Amino acid sequence: MATPPPPGIPLPPDRELALIDHELAQLDARRAYLLARRDWLLRLLAPNGWTSAASASPVRPQEPSGPGAQNVLLTLGAVLLAVAALAFTLVSWGSLGIAGRGAVLAVVTAAALGAPALLLRRGLRSTAESVAAVGLLLTVLDAYAVYAVATPQTDGTAYAAGAAGVLAALWAGYARVLPGLVVPLPAAVLTAQLPLPLAAVAAAAGPVGAGWALLATAALDAALVLLVPGARARAAVFGPAAVSAAVLGAGALLSGLSQMAQAGSAGAAAAPALLLAACAALGVGVAWREPSAMAASVAGALAGVAALGGPVRPLLARDWAVVVFLLLALPLLAAVRASAIPAAVRRGLARAGAGVAALAALSALVAAVGSLGFRVRVLGEVWAATTPSPEAYGPGPAAAVTLLLAAGAAGWSARVLPRPEPGVIAVVLGWAGLFTAPLLLGLPVAAVLAAQLAVTAAAGVCALRLGRGAGYAAAVCAVVGALNLSVAALDGRTATFVVFVLLGAGCAAGAARRPAPLPVRAGAAVLAVGYAAAVVAALGALWGLAASWWALPLLAVPAAVAAAGPRLGPVRLPAEAAAGAVGAVALLLASWPWEPARAALVCALAGVVCAGAALRAERRGLGWAAGALFVAATWIRLSASGVQVPEAYTLPVTVPALAVGFVRRRRDARASSWTAYGPGLGATLLPSLLAAWGDPHWLRPLLLGLAALAVTLLGAHRRLQAPLLLGGATLAAVALHELAPYVVQAVDALPRWLPPALAGLLLLVVGATYEKRLRDARRLRAALGRLR
């Protein structure tokens, strides 16, 4: 073999060409050997149906593989044969005699059912499955042919039931004779679902009879799933039988439940109850044998509850029937601790019991909430003593009993399960049952209010002592109960004061309790402030004051909170926020209807409260609110007195603002003069300047000019930027205002060409001395920058 030269050494052209020809000849020889070897291997593997994956060109779309194409062809062939057989049966059957018909069907069916055995021995499984499917379809046509020829007068539904049973048995036997086939056994299982339901329909058995037929078929399916021997056979029937058992069992359960709901007496409910009891036994039995069938246990437990409670339901009112079903479901919850029961059954029974309890509690809770919402009508007639009769609240005591039973079950579950949800549910349902029980029992109004006060207090105590989940749920229940009780108490004067005072005192005590959770204490503090304001408003109404005059006594509430201050501890901030809301309500009340004297008085008193609170270092920010309220009170009084001089409105703002700025500059020498004096000076200088420009008299501009001159000189003396610039700008604006008429007269007296000439001369001077003016501007800016 010729070897190529070392890299970098060129070859003569003739030697290089000879080397390339030699290499190509060797490659052709190697390719011919590999192709011959490949053809031999393909012939060796062809009888087994194997096809080389590399036989397809990489640039062409991938063709179907051998088995895939084979399955498609076989399926199409089976479909065409089935269509042909159907057409023959429907169209050409009448042209043959009895013997001819029987001979044709017998021969074709026997051939279709016998051929798969030969095909399986030759290893053609797919072909055997297709031919077997055609044979099974031919047996159906045989059954139809027998009905059409031999028994045309027989009831079609009854004949279909018998034929389905016979076909299912024949197909099952055929699957046993040829165990290598997959299609016959699932087909037999699916066909076996028809005989009993069709027989029930043919016998006009009614809904309960149809339910029994469905249940019996589901039981046979379940037995087939659980008891069939052999892994291969079980794998073949598991899917169809399991799905059929679930669907038919659900149908039987729904049939029993629907008939139970329609039963008008205990006797009429007996038959559906027996069907539901059988459903319960089947569901629990399947779950007992099959660990993965927990859903069957749930359905069985629900059916058992319905079977036991159904006959009693027609004898009781709806609310008490719910109590009966709940009592029947509660023992199911105890299954979680029964170690002798399989895990799937335990979980299913417990979930069924929890589901029934949840539905019962939800229905009772809706009824209870509706009874509490009825109290909103009291707001339309406060202190009118028009409490509706107990019958108007809707449901009876059964709703409260249901809630208390469900709460007890949830409390027991909270002790068994390490989760917070059952505890929360127990608190909510227990509070709802206890809070609504006196109302639903029809007790006197005083007894109802007293009992609900006790329940609300108990919920508040639980909120202070329990953990996060149950404690917060108890806090929410206490708040809802307190608000609902407050609305109910508005029906009478005595009830209003007693309830408001007791609830406010309880909230204040809860806010003062140290070991309690801080959010609960904060909410209690807010409610305590709110109830204090409510008591004050109620006193105002009792004294006959108009609602707008309630603002004056209401300000006592924020004043008391401000006076308590640090003694409130961690709940100080929420209490002060609630007090601020009360103060805002007082200001709104004072402004409607509008009366200047009252509004000014309320603003002044509110300013006093804010100023008193601002004396503490941590509440200095309230000083701004106090100043704003004082200014508002002053402006309201001035407006009511007909004062139109702007300085009367601005000077009360300027003087305190300048005093505050002076104090700040004394404490912080680095504070800017704009921050300290800018707002105060601007509050007076700007409105006065606007008024001076529209004032035809000379006194206001003179006084404003003198004040601006004083401010400018003081700013220059103290080297303060804000007074210097504000005062200088105001002084220049006043001077311009005073000189403007004379300037206009002078301009009118000058020739028309003189102003443009002066302007041009000015531009020439500025342009000639531009650099000097620029340096002067920079020095002025630097000088202003050195001011504070």
Side-chain angles (χ1 to χ4, degrees):
M1 177 179 178
T3 58
I9 301 178
L11 287 177
D14 55 346
R15 291 190 56 187
E16 185 176 0
L17 180 60
L19 180 62
I20 292 174
D21 292 338
H22 183 74
E23 292 289 342
L24 290 175
Q26 287 190 338
L27 290 176
D28 291 339
R30 182 63 177 170
R31 175 178 172 79
Y33 169 76
L34 292 176
L35 290 175
R37 182 68 178 174
R38 178 179 179 276
D39 292 338
W40 180 80
L41 291 174
L42 288 176
R43 287 193 301 272
L44 179 66
L45 297 175
N48 297 328
W50 185 91
T51 303
S52 173
S55 60
S57 175
V59 297
R60 295 180 180 177
Q62 185 177 359
E63 299 293 338
S65 62
Q70 182 185 22
N71 292 333
V72 172
L73 294 175
L74 292 174
T75 302
L76 291 176
V79 170
L80 292 176
L81 286 177
V83 171
L86 183 61
F88 170 77
T89 303
L90 296 177
V91 178
S92 302
W93 186 260
S95 62
L96 298 176
I98 301 265
R101 299 170 188 174
V104 169
L105 283 175
V107 170
V108 174
T109 304
L113 294 178
L118 300 176
L119 295 173
L120 287 175
R121 282 198 295 269
R122 294 183 60 97
L124 301 176
R125 181 179 301 276
S126 299
T127 307
E129 295 285 354
S130 300
V131 175
V134 174
L136 297 180
L137 179 60
L138 289 175
T139 58
V140 177
L141 297 177
D142 288 338
Y144 171 74
V146 171
Y147 171 74
V149 174
T151 59
Q153 304 300 325
T154 306
D155 181 67
T157 306
Y159 181 83
V166 173
L167 289 177
L170 290 177
W171 292 354
Y174 183 66
R176 188 174 181 85
V177 173
L178 295 178
L181 294 177
V182 177
V183 173
L185 195 55
V189 172
L190 293 177
T191 307
Q193 313 305 314
L194 302 177
L196 292 180
L198 290 177
V201 173
V208 176
W212 278 108
L214 295 175
L215 183 62
T217 308
L220 294 176
D221 290 330
L224 189 63
V225 171
L226 298 175
L227 303 178
V228 66
R232 182 181 180 87
R234 180 164 183 165
V237 303
F238 183 84
V243 173
S244 300
V247 173
L248 297 179
L253 179 60
L254 292 177
S255 176
L257 291 176
S258 63
Q259 294 303 305
M260 182 70 74
Q262 297 175 11
S265 63
L274 188 60
L275 175 60
L276 291 174
C279 291
L282 177 61
V284 175
V286 169
W288 200 289
R289 289 292 303 270
E290 180 60 43
S292 62
M294 186 190 67
S297 178
V298 174
L302 294 176
V305 172
L308 295 176
V312 184
R313 182 194 60 81
L315 306 176
L316 300 174
R318 178 183 176 277
D319 298 334
W320 288 108
V322 173
V323 175
V324 171
F325 283 109
L326 179 59
L327 290 174
L328 293 173
L330 290 182
L332 298 177
L333 298 174
V336 295
R337 306 192 70 176
S339 57
I341 301 177
V345 179
R346 286 202 310 269
R347 292 194 298 269
L349 295 179
R351 293 187 180 185
V356 174
L359 291 177
L362 182 61
S363 64
L365 191 62
V366 171
V369 171
S371 66
L372 295 179
F374 195 81
R375 286 177 164 177
V376 179
R377 295 177 56 182
V378 175
L379 297 177
E381 298 179 355
V382 177
W383 289 1
T386 57
T387 301
S389 61
E391 291 78 9
Y393 289 111
V401 174
T402 302
L403 290 173
L404 293 177
L405 289 175
W412 179 84
S413 301
R415 299 181 59 185
V416 176
L417 302 176
R419 297 181 62 86
E421 291 84 358
V424 173
I425 296 173
V427 169
V428 173
L429 295 181
W431 169 83
L434 293 174
F435 193 81
T436 57
L439 190 65
L440 300 178
L441 287 172
L443 298 179
V445 176
V448 171
L449 295 180
Q452 291 183 340
L453 274 173
V455 174
T456 303
V461 172
C462 292
L464 295 173
R465 293 185 176 181
L466 295 179
R468 286 180 175 269
Y472 290 161
V476 173
C477 292
V479 171
V480 174
L483 296 178
N484 187 269
L485 194 56
S486 302
V487 173
L490 292 175
D491 193 52
R493 290 179 172 83
T494 304
T496 298
F497 286 102
V498 171
V499 171
F500 283 11
V501 170
L502 290 178
L503 289 177
C507 292
R513 183 179 174 84
R514 294 291 180 182
L518 184 57
V520 177
R521 293 179 59 193
V526 172
L527 287 178
V529 174
Y531 276 112
V535 170
V536 172
L539 287 174
L542 183 64
W543 294 335
L545 298 177
S548 57
W549 285 100
W550 294 357
L552 293 176
L554 277 177
L555 290 177
V557 176
V561 174
R567 291 192 296 273
L568 296 176
V571 299
R572 178 183 180 184
L573 183 60
E576 289 180 344
V582 173
V585 171
L587 293 175
L588 291 176
L589 289 175
S591 61
W592 187 265
W594 179 252
E595 185 178 341
R598 182 182 61 241
L601 178 59
V602 173
C603 287
L605 292 177
V608 171
V609 174
C610 292
L615 294 177
R616 295 190 175 94
E618 65 276 9
R619 294 293 182 264
R620 296 297 188 199
L622 291 176
W624 295 101
L629 290 171
F630 285 138
V631 170
T634 304
W635 287 359
I636 292 172
R637 292 299 302 174
L638 291 173
S639 177
S641 301
V643 177
Q644 299 181 355
V645 179
E647 289 78 11
Y649 296 91
T650 58
L651 286 177
V653 178
T654 297
V655 174
L658 293 178
V660 172
F662 178 74
V663 173
R664 181 172 182 180
R665 288 275 299 179
R666 289 283 300 272
R667 294 182 177 180
D668 186 8
R670 293 177 297 179
S672 172
S673 61
W674 287 101
T675 304
Y677 303 118
L681 293 175
T684 293
L685 293 178
L686 182 59
S688 298
L689 180 60
L690 295 177
W693 272 77
D695 193 345
H697 304 287
W698 57 271
L699 182 58
R700 182 189 299 275
L702 176 61
L703 296 177
L704 181 59
L706 293 176
L709 178 61
V711 170
T712 304
L713 294 177
L714 183 61
H717 177 67
R718 295 291 184 180
R719 302 182 61 82
L720 299 175
Q721 189 179 103
L724 177 61
L725 294 181
L726 290 175
T730 304
L731 184 60
V734 171
L736 180 61
H737 173 266
E738 295 302 316
L739 294 177
Y742 305 105
V743 172
V744 172
Q745 293 177 3
V747 170
D748 289 340
L750 294 176
R752 298 296 182 183
W753 55 267
L754 187 58
L758 293 176
L761 181 61
L762 178 62
L763 291 177
L764 290 176
V765 172
V766 171
T769 59
Y770 176 76
E771 295 295 335
K772 184 176 183 301
R773 303 306 175 199
L774 188 59
R775 289 193 298 270
D776 292 341
R778 290 173 178 172
R779 284 197 297 269
L780 178 60
R781 186 178 62 180
L784 290 176
R786 287 192 294 270
L787 301 178
R788 297 178 180 176

